[in-house]
Amino acid sequence: MTDKINNAIGNQLKLARTKKAWSLDTASRHTGVSKAMLGQIERGESSPTVAKLWKVANGFQLPLSYFLGIIGKSDLKQGLLKTEKGIAISTLFPFDEVTKIEVFSLTLSPLHQQMSSPHNTGVIEHILVIEGDMEYFLDNKWHAIQKGDTVRFCANVAHGYRNLTDKPATFHNIIAYSDELKT
């Protein structure tokens, strides 16, 4: 199953690179991901982390669901993509060209912390905690949020999420992009 997912993500990366007529060197400069790693992802030899996929998506000015939305729920265990220990992600609504919005469900394992590099200018994240207690990192400090709480912020700065409890924390992440984003 992992090979199928890796190949699907790799094919999407190769398609994006082909559309832009970028070499691996050019793609590496735009994404901040090494040429070797991009090649491994394209060939399906690597399971990129969510953070790595975000860097690639940002560099190509694509929504994250460009890479994740092509993976069918039947290909995933309980509809969740687990590319790294401690976090699982599922696409609830892939990127919509009209609204410029995509929606994910993320589950943080107990005691897991997930940091994210700044996204492109104009990207706004909306967080809705579905289950558990968690914290989000913004403005160089952690802020507590719990089930039912919401928060919205410009995601063009370093930000993150963490679960300090002994139970999983699940939240929906609604991502709104600026008008420049195209798929």
Side-chain angles (χ1 to χ4, degrees):
M1 197 61 61
T2 300
D3 287 344
K4 187 175 181 181
I5 292 167
N6 289 348
N7 288 331
I9 291 171
N11 289 338
Q12 287 300 103
L13 175 56
K14 186 168 184 132
L15 179 63
R17 204 167 57 78
T18 301
K19 283 182 179 179
K20 288 194 177 276
W22 284 358
S23 66
L24 282 173
D25 282 327
T26 301
S28 178
R29 283 193 305 276
H30 283 273
T31 63
V33 176
S34 75
K35 177 181 167 182
M37 176 57 73
L38 289 171
Q40 289 173 0
I41 294 169
E42 272 194 16
R43 292 187 302 273
E45 298 170 355
S46 176
S47 295
T49 63
V50 172
K52 190 78 64 190
L53 278 179
W54 259 116
K55 288 179 82 170
V56 172
N58 284 332
F60 279 89
Q61 293 188 312
L62 290 167
L64 182 61
S65 64
Y66 173 84
F67 296 101
L68 300 180
I70 46 86
I71 303 168
K73 289 196 178 205
S74 62
D75 296 332
L76 306 175
K77 183 178 179 181
Q78 298 174 336
L80 296 174
L81 176 62
K82 296 180 179 182
T83 61
E84 60 202 275
K85 186 177 178 181
I87 186 168
I89 185 169
S90 176
T91 304
L92 298 179
F93 295 99
F95 178 74
D96 181 281
E97 198 64 57
V98 174
T99 64
K100 305 288 188 209
I101 291 174
E102 62 187 352
V103 182
F104 299 99
S105 179
L106 290 96
T107 299
L108 300 173
S109 297
L111 307 176
H112 180 74
Q113 178 175 305
Q114 185 73 30
M115 295 304 293
S116 183
S117 299
H119 301 319
N120 293 334
T121 301
V123 175
I124 298 172
E125 289 196 27
H126 304 75
I127 306 302
L128 167 60
V129 182
I130 302 301
E131 195 63 47
D133 297 332
M134 58 180 280
E135 295 182 333
Y136 69 97
F137 182 81
L138 193 64
D139 299 326
N140 294 315
K141 60 184 172 183
W142 289 98
H143 309 270
I145 52 178
Q146 57 191 357
K147 183 178 179 177
D149 288 346
T150 60
V151 66
R152 176 181 57 209
F153 58 89
C154 292
N156 63 340
V157 297
H159 56 283
Y161 313 98
R162 71 180 179 189
N163 177 359
L164 296 177
T165 72
D166 61 355
K167 294 184 174 138
T170 299
F171 64 100
H172 288 175
N173 190 346
I174 300 97
I175 302 172
Y177 294 91
S178 66
D179 288 335
E180 293 85 41
L181 191 71
K182 303 271 189 264
T183 55

